[in-house]
C-alpha cells in the first residue's frame, strides 16, 4: 500500500497533548553555570542555566576562546540542549531534566551526572541524593546511560574511546581507538510536544486546511462539487463557529499541505506544483513546478517530493534545488532540521529514519507501515503484521538495541514494536485530550490503544487540521464521497458544516 489517495482515502488527523516537564520548587531566579564546557575543534562553549520564577528555566550559550557567537547554533529541545557548529557536522547534545528546584544534567561522554540547585550551587550528587531527589540509582546512569522513568531515555553517543572498552548494547564487542567506532544514532533524540505533534498530525492528513488566528484557509466545494481554495473569517458564539463570506484564492483546485511561513501560505495545487500565497497582496504565485507531494517548511528550506517521489529541498524562494534522497519514498517528514522519517517503497514499505547531513539511514520496522505520528518519544502508525493483518502499532524512537550482521559485520538497529494484534483501519487520529481514533466515531485513551479493533475501513470523519481551538474535518457519506467541510470548536465540542462556495 503506497500513499493513501487524497480526499477519497484520507487518513484521520492527529493531535495530542504532551506536557512539558513541570517543576515543583518555589520561586527561584538565579543564574548558575551548567555542567562543564563543550569542546569542538578547539572552540569552547559555556552554557548558563537561568532559573525562572515558575520553577522552570531556560538555557543560554556563549562562546569562549577563539571563534564568534555566530559560529554555532544553540537549541533547547525541552529535554536536551543541542550545540551545532557551522560546517562542523552533527550536533553535540546533552540531556537534562528538571525536578523541583533542581536541574539534572547527564554527561554521556564522561559517564557522570551533575545538577544545579536553585541557589546556584553546582553539585556532584551522591548515590543517595540521586535516589532521594530524582528517584534513580547511580548505576542506572553510569551503566545504562539513561534517566529512569518516562521523563528521559537516552540513546548512544559518538566519542573517541582512547583504547577504552565499549560493551553496552553492542553485542559485548570491544572497541578501541583503532576501530574508529562511530554510532550512527549518536545524536538522535526526539520528544514531541503539542505544537510539533499538531504540525505532524495535520501533515499526515494532507493539511487541506489552516486556521491562522480566526482566519480560515483551505478547501471547500462549490455547488457542482469542484474543490476551491478560499479564505474566510471565523466567528463563534461560544458553541459553534461560523465562516464569513468566502474570498476566492484559487478556483477549481485541490490545495493541500498548507503551511504558513511569515506572511505567506505555501501549498501544493492539484498536480500543478507548489504555490505561495501572499497574505498581504492576496495573490498566489507558482513557486516550484516540480513539487508533487509532501510539501513542508523547516527552517529556511522547503522540502518536497517530485512526481517520482524523490526527496528535494529548495530555499524559501523556490530556488537552489537540492536532491536529498534519490529513491522512491512516501510519508516523508522532517521532524528535526536533520532527521527525516519516511516509508521506503523498495524496502517492503518499511519506515526508516535518515540523517540528511550524516547520510545515516536506519530501518525502524520490518513490515509495511504507514502515516507515522510522534507522541512524546513514541511513534504510532498503522502497519501490516507478519500474518498480513492490518493493525495499530507503536515503538519508542529513543529505545533501540544494536546487533551485527554475521556476514557483513554491519550494525543492525532493532526497535521493539508493540501492536494491537487486532484488525484495524489504516486511519489514525489522536485528539488534543489524548484520545485515539482508528476510523471510528468514538475513541479510547491513548494508553489503551491496544484494545482498539476496527475491521471496517469505511471512512466517516477525517481531520485535516487540528489546533488547541479548532478541528476541521471532512465528512463522508455512505458512498465514500466528501459530504461537507466541518469546523468544530474544541472547547464546546460544537461543530457545523461550512456552506458551499457560491
Amino acid at each position: 500500500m503506497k500513499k493513501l489517495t487524497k480526499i477519497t482515502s484520507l487518513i484521520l488527523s492527529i493531535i495530542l497533548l504532551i506536557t512539558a516537564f513541570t517543576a515543583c520548587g518555589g520561586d527561584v531566579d538565579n543564574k548558575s553555570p551548567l555542567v562543564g564546557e563543550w569542546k569542538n575543534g578547539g572552540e569552547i562553549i559555556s552554557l548558563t542555566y537561568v532559573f525562572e520564577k515558575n520553577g522552570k528555566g531556560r538555557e543560554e550559550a556563549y562562546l569562549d576562546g577563539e571563534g564568534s557567537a555566530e559560529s554555532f547554533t544553540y537549541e533547547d529541545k525541552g529535554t536536551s540542549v543541542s550545540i551545532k557548529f557551522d560546517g562542523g557536522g552533527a550536533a553535540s547534545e546533552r540531556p537534562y531534566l528538571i525536578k523541583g528546584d533542581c536541574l539534572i544534567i547527564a554527561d554521556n561522554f564522561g559517564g557522570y551526572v551533575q545538577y544545579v540547585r536553585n541557589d546556584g550551587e553546582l553539585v556532584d550528587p551522591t548515590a543517595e541524593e540521586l535516589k532521594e531527589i530524582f528517584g534513580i540509582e547511580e548505576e542506572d546512569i553510569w551503566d545504562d546511560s539513561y534517566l529512569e522513568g518516562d521523563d528521559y531515555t537516552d540513546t548512544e553517543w559518538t566519542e573517541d574511546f582512547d583504547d577504552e572498552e565499549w560493551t553496552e548494547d553492542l553485542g559485548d564487542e570491544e572497541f578501541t581507538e583503532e576501530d574508529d567506532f562511530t554510532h550512527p544514532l549518536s545524536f538522535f533524540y526526539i520528544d514531541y510536544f503539542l505544537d510539533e505533534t499538531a504540525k505532524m498530525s495535520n501533515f499526515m492528513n494532507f493539511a487541506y486546511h489552516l486556521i491562522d488566528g480566526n482566519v480560515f484557509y483551505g478547501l471547500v466545494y462549490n455547488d457542482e462539487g469542484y474543490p476551491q481554495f478560499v479564505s474566510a473569517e471565523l466567528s463563534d458564539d461560544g458553541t459553534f463557529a461560523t465562516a464569513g463570506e468566502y474570498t476566492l484564492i484559487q478556483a477549481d483546485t485541490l490545495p493541500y499541505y498548507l503551511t504558513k511561513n511569515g506572511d505567506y501560505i505555501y501549498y501544493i495545487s492539484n498536480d500543478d506544483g507548489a504555490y505561495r500565497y501572499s497574505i498581504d497582496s492576496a495573490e498566489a504565485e507558482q513557486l516550484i513546478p516540480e513539487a508533487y507531494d509532501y510539501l513542508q517548511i523547516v527552517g529556511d528550506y522547503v522540502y518536497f517530493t517530485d512526481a517520482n517521489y524523490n526527496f528535494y529541498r529548495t530555499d524559501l524562494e523556490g530556488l537552489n534545488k537540492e536532491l536529498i534522497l534519490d529513491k522512491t519514498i512516501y510519508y516523508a517528514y522532517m521532524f528535526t532540521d536533520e532527521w527525516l522519517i519516511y516509508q521506503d517503497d523498495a524496502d517492503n514499505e518499511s519506515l526508516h529514519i535518515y540523517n540528511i547531513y550524516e547520510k545515516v539511514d536506519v530501518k525502524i520496522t520490518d513490515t509495511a507501515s504507514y502515516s507515522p505520528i510522534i507522541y512524546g518519544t513514541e511513534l504510532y502508525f498503522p502497519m501490516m503484521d507478519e500474518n498480513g493483518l492490518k493493525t495499530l502499532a507503536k515503538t519508542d524512537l529513543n529505545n533501540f538495541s544494536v546487533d551485527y550482521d554475521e556476514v557483513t559485520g554491519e550494525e543492525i538497529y532493532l526497535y521493539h514494536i508493540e501492536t494491537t494484534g487486532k484488525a484495524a483501519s489504516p486511519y489514525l487520529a489522536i485528539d488534543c485530550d489524548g484520545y485515539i481514533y482508528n476510523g471510528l466515531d468514538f475513541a479510547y485513551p491513548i494508553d489503551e490503544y491496544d484494545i482498539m479493533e476496527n475491521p471496517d475501513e469505511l471512512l466517516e470523519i477525517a481531520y485535516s487540521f487540528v489546533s488547541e481551538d479548532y478541528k476541521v474535518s471532512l465528512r463522508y457519506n455512505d458512498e465514500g464521497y466528501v459530504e461537507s467541510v466541518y469546523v468544530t470548536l474544541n472547547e464546546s465540542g460544537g461543530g457545523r458544516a461550512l456552506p458551499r462556495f457560491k
Side-chain angles (χ1 to χ4, degrees):
M1 177 181 176
K2 306 268 193 313
K3 173 184 170 68
L4 300 176
T5 305
K6 303 178 186 73
I7 291 294
T8 56
S9 301
L10 276 172
I11 7 169
L12 283 175
S13 250
I14 298 175
I15 187 159
L16 36 99
L17 182 60
I18 304 173
T19 56
F21 297 124
T22 57
C24 54
D27 290 350
V28 290
D29 190 11
N30 299 296
K31 290 190 175 183
S32 309
L34 204 77
V35 171
E37 294 175 325
W38 298 32
K39 298 182 180 180
N40 188 76
E43 297 174 327
I44 300 175
I45 288 291
S46 296
L47 299 180
T48 300
Y49 185 79
V50 182
F51 277 104
E52 296 179 339
K53 292 185 177 181
N54 59 2
K56 298 183 180 180
R58 66 181 185 274
E59 294 71 42
E60 296 177 346
Y62 57 93
L63 194 63
D64 288 339
E66 297 182 1
S68 65
E70 288 74 30
S71 64
F72 70 94
T73 301
Y74 167 77
E75 181 182 2
D76 175 16
K77 297 184 177 181
T79 57
S80 60
V81 177
S82 174
I83 298 289
K84 182 174 182 181
F85 291 82
D86 293 347
S92 297
E93 189 167 339
R94 179 167 297 168
Y96 70 85
L97 173 67
I98 296 171
K99 289 284 189 178
D101 54 6
C102 296
L103 169 73
I104 184 171
I105 308 100
D107 184 345
N108 297 84
F109 296 102
Y112 62 85
V113 174
Q114 292 179 309
Y115 67 88
V116 181
R117 299 186 191 277
N118 64 3
D119 58 4
E121 180 185 1
L122 184 64
V123 181
D124 288 310
T126 65
E128 291 75 16
E129 285 180 311
L130 283 173
K131 187 172 182 180
E132 178 182 353
I133 300 175
F134 303 109
I136 53 180
E137 301 285 355
E138 186 174 19
E139 56 266 22
D140 289 336
I141 300 295
W142 284 55
D143 295 338
D144 297 331
S145 186
Y146 72 93
L147 300 180
E148 220 173 37
D150 295 331
D151 291 317
Y152 176 77
T153 303
D154 186 27
T155 60
E156 306 297 334
W157 298 80
T158 299
E159 174 66 317
D160 294 330
F161 292 98
D162 298 329
D163 296 325
E164 293 181 9
E165 294 182 356
W166 182 261
T167 59
E168 181 187 13
D169 290 333
L170 300 176
D172 293 329
E173 296 284 345
E174 295 183 359
F175 294 90
T176 64
E177 189 175 20
E178 290 77 27
D179 291 307
D180 191 26
F181 174 73
T182 300
H183 198 299
L185 294 185
S186 296
F187 304 111
F188 176 76
Y189 182 77
I190 190 69
D191 191 356
Y192 254 29
F193 291 89
L194 176 61
D195 54 345
E196 297 165 318
T197 302
K199 287 176 61 177
M200 189 172 187
S201 169
N202 295 334
F203 181 90
M204 289 299 170
N205 289 278
F206 304 109
Y208 290 111
H209 301 97
L210 171 69
I211 297 178
D212 182 31
N214 69 328
V215 181
F216 167 95
Y217 297 93
L219 169 69
V220 296
Y221 291 85
N222 64 16
D223 290 334
E224 297 177 348
Y226 290 103
Q228 316 291 320
F229 182 21
V230 305
S231 66
E233 287 194 8
L234 294 177
S235 58
D236 68 78
D237 58 7
T239 303
F240 298 100
T242 304
E245 184 177 350
Y246 291 135
T247 297
L248 180 65
I249 295 175
Q250 195 172 354
D252 299 329
T253 188
L254 175 65
Y256 52 103
Y257 297 119
L258 274 68
T259 181
K260 185 174 182 289
N261 186 272
D263 295 326
Y264 293 96
I265 293 176
Y266 292 74
Y267 64 100
I268 290 181
S269 175
N270 281 349
D271 299 329
D272 195 29
Y275 278 68
R276 183 172 68 175
Y277 171 74
S278 170
I279 296 174
D280 290 338
S281 67
E283 295 181 354
E285 60 175 333
Q286 188 186 50
L287 197 68
I288 312 171
E290 61 271 37
Y292 186 79
D293 223 332
Y294 302 114
L295 181 77
Q296 182 188 8
I297 295 178
V298 180
D300 296 327
Y301 296 102
V302 181
Y303 293 87
F304 61 91
T305 56
D306 64 5
N308 295 317
Y309 286 93
N310 299 149
F311 193 58
Y312 291 86
R313 75 180 182 185
T314 69
D315 61 27
L316 296 177
E317 299 298 320
L319 305 175
N320 301 310
K321 180 180 174 183
E322 178 184 358
L323 178 63
I324 302 298
L325 207 51
D326 186 15
K327 61 178 176 178
T328 301
I329 67 174
Y330 300 94
Y331 308 106
Y333 189 83
M334 295 288 297
F335 51 83
T336 74
D337 59 357
E338 296 184 53
W339 289 98
L340 164 72
I341 191 167
Y342 69 94
Q343 182 200 71
D344 191 329
D345 182 58
D347 190 16
N348 198 30
E349 300 179 11
S350 60
L351 294 179
H352 286 234
I353 53 175
Y354 176 73
N355 189 293
I356 67 173
Y357 298 109
E358 300 299 318
K359 313 300 182 186
V360 172
D361 192 292
V362 177
K363 179 190 289 190
I364 300 175
T365 65
D366 287 323
T367 60
S369 309
Y370 319 99
S371 54
I373 303 291
I374 297 172
Y375 181 101
T377 65
E378 292 183 323
L379 188 74
Y380 288 79
F381 53 94
M383 68 170 286
M384 195 83 71
D385 68 13
E386 63 275 7
N387 299 316
L389 178 69
K390 291 179 182 177
T391 183
L392 288 179
K394 73 173 181 177
T395 186
D396 192 325
L397 288 176
N398 299 119
N399 275 337
F400 57 88
S401 59
V402 183
D403 203 347
Y404 295 89
D405 188 304
E406 295 181 358
V407 177
T408 65
E410 293 181 351
E411 298 165 350
I412 302 171
Y413 301 88
L414 305 175
Y415 286 84
H416 175 64
I417 308 295
E418 300 178 24
T419 74
T420 62
K422 301 174 183 178
S425 164
Y427 308 108
L428 181 67
I430 305 170
D431 68 16
C432 55
D433 294 319
Y435 284 84
I436 189 167
Y437 299 78
N438 182 223
L440 300 170
D441 200 17
F442 57 93
Y444 293 94
I446 192 168
D447 292 340
E448 300 177 14
Y449 91 104
D450 56 338
I451 71 175
M452 298 191 66
E453 182 176 13
N454 178 25
D456 183 5
E457 296 185 12
L458 179 63
L459 189 64
E460 299 174 0
I461 302 174
Y463 293 114
S464 68
F465 175 80
V466 188
S467 69
E468 293 185 71
D469 300 318
Y470 297 97
K471 291 187 182 77
V472 182
S473 58
L474 300 182
R475 300 298 174 101
Y476 288 80
N477 58 25
D478 293 340
E479 287 75 38
Y481 295 101
V482 176
E483 193 171 54
S484 63
V485 176
Y486 209 80
V487 177
T488 303
L489 288 178
N490 289 344
E491 186 173 352
S492 68
R496 179 170 290 163
L498 297 183
R500 290 186 174 263
F501 180 76
K502 303 295 184 182

